[in-house]
Amino acid sequence: MVALFTLSIMNAQESVVPALETLLKYPKVRDFTMSISQDEAYITLQSPLEELSVIARLHKENDDWSAPAVVSFSGDHKDLEPFLSHDGLRLYFASNRPVNDSIKEAKDFNIWFVERADRKAAWSAPINIGAPINTEHNEFYPALATNGNLYFTSDAPNAKGKDDIFFSEWKNGHYGPPVSMSDSINTQGYEFNAYVAPDESFLLFSGYNRKDGLGSGDMYISFRRTDNSWSTAKNLGDGINSKYMDYCPFMDMASKQLYFTSRRSALDAERPKSIKAFEEAVNGYENGTSRIYMVSLKTLLSKQ
């Protein structure tokens, strides 16, 4: 396993690239989910201090992504972390919107979804996923396997640490009680923002300030064993992670392309000698604000 990770990381060196240049003008961009046909994507756009947080849609035309458009159900509350179902007919997300009309504002974030009859239809009004997933605590970053099993982040009291990755089984048309994942995944610190492979063969997630980390939030991978346990999570390494916050993974399984959010910055290497050079540096893609990047994990995943 160590040799495999070394090979993958060597191949990933210098191959992390901006994913969506069309989003350069927005101050904070995070989260990415895409249809299996690779022509529809959803992201989160935020103001610098995150007073505004909306979900936006992009579509691909002639191999180029369109400018984003805020979706019909977003804008009145803080919405983020969209996940598009594998059939493209449901979009899950986290929101602090009120659970019902009698409450002006929710005190915590819950998981919601919208649905549509087909890919050309309009999205429904948001639907709260309900108990036992949502509680009086925060639930974030939903990700689903094709069998309906749900993985998400929560700060519930039964977490092993500050934030944990939780799992809930979809069985007989209902979700079972959420369970904090094993010590192979969760620690006493912060684990968050998990992406699960459609067949649940692997899990990608972020861990904050771990002993083997590079300085902030790093992305990790764990593989599902034949006995259904999970392998000890491995850091994806400095060919992919940076000393800055790296989080919100999403995998395009067809291309094995990993999309993720990063606050990485190249400004510590910049020495602008003019105001023009300064503007170009601070308004560039790798300037310390949240941006979406991509890198191939084909070598790593093809050898498992």
Side-chain angles (χ1 to χ4, degrees), residues 268-282:
D268 54 2
E270 298 286 344
R271 297 294 181 268
K273 302 296 185 181
S274 67
I275 191 63
K276 181 179 179 180
F278 177 85
E279 290 174 352
E280 289 176 349
V282 299

Side-chain angles (χ1 to χ4, degrees), residues 107-110 133-139 154-158:
K107 294 181 179 180
D108 63 308
F109 281 83
N110 285 326
I133 304 302
N134 289 331
T135 67
E136 67 271 23
H137 306 285
N138 290 301
E139 290 81 33
S154 177
D155 59 3
N158 57 330

Side-chain angles (χ1 to χ4, degrees), residues 33-265:
T33 185
M34 182 169 60
S35 64
I36 59 174
S37 55
Q38 302 175 317
D39 59 358
E40 182 182 27
Y42 293 84
I43 57 167
T44 303
L45 299 177
Q46 295 180 318
S47 59
L49 297 181
E50 301 181 11
E51 307 96 329
L52 302 177
S53 183
V54 300
I55 293 173
R57 177 185 182 270
L58 303 91
H59 62 279
K60 188 173 283 188
E61 296 177 345
N62 301 321
D63 293 326
D64 292 324
W65 286 107
S66 68
V70 177
V71 294
S72 59
F73 58 87
S74 191
D76 292 331
H77 307 282
K78 291 184 179 180
D79 302 324
L80 69 163
E81 301 174 345
F83 180 88
L84 188 63
S85 65
H86 301 289
D87 61 8
L89 302 184
R90 276 193 179 185
L91 186 74
Y92 296 82
F93 62 101
S95 178
N96 72 340
R97 63 185 58 228
V99 175
N100 58 61
D101 294 337
S102 65
I103 302 173
K104 291 185 178 180
E105 194 69 38
K107 294 181 179 180
D108 63 308
F109 281 83
N110 285 326
I111 293 174
W112 297 72
F113 67 89
V114 291
E115 53 191 4
R116 58 189 178 184
D118 57 66
R119 289 194 55 197
K120 294 182 178 180
W123 288 112
S124 69
I127 302 165
N128 189 290
I129 202 170
I133 304 302
N134 289 331
T135 67
E136 67 271 23
H137 306 285
N138 290 301
E139 290 81 33
F140 289 107
Y141 213 82
L144 283 85
T146 51
N147 61 11
N149 289 345
L150 175 66
Y151 295 75
F152 64 100
T153 305
S154 177
D155 59 3
N158 57 330
K160 295 178 175 63
K162 308 296 184 181
D163 285 348
D164 272 9
I165 307 300
F166 280 75
F167 162 80
S168 179
E169 183 182 14
W170 179 254
K171 189 175 182 179
N172 299 324
H174 301 281
Y175 279 111
V179 177
S180 172
M181 296 189 72
S182 71
D183 293 345
S184 298
I185 307 294
N186 290 317
T187 69
Q188 294 182 352
Y190 293 87
E191 282 75 39
F192 50 95
N193 295 1
Y195 168 85
V196 66
D199 62 357
E200 297 179 292
S201 58
F202 67 89
L203 189 79
L204 291 161
F205 67 96
S206 288
Y208 178 72
N209 202 25
R210 285 190 169 200
K211 290 182 179 179
D212 61 348
L214 303 180
S216 183
D218 290 324
M219 291 180 294
Y220 291 78
I221 191 167
S222 174
F223 294 94
R224 194 180 187 94
R225 301 188 180 106
T226 55
D227 64 358
N228 290 328
S229 65
W230 292 90
S231 67
T232 300
K234 299 288 186 180
N235 191 301
L236 288 183
D238 61 4
I240 298 174
N241 287 314
S242 69
K243 66 180 181 180
Y244 303 96
M245 177 66 75
D246 299 300
Y247 59 124
C248 300
F250 173 84
M251 178 71 70
D252 172 27
M253 293 302 298
S255 65
K256 301 298 189 295
Q257 197 81 10
L258 171 65
Y259 293 82
F260 65 98
T261 306
S262 179
R263 297 176 186 164
R264 60 190 61 201
S265 174

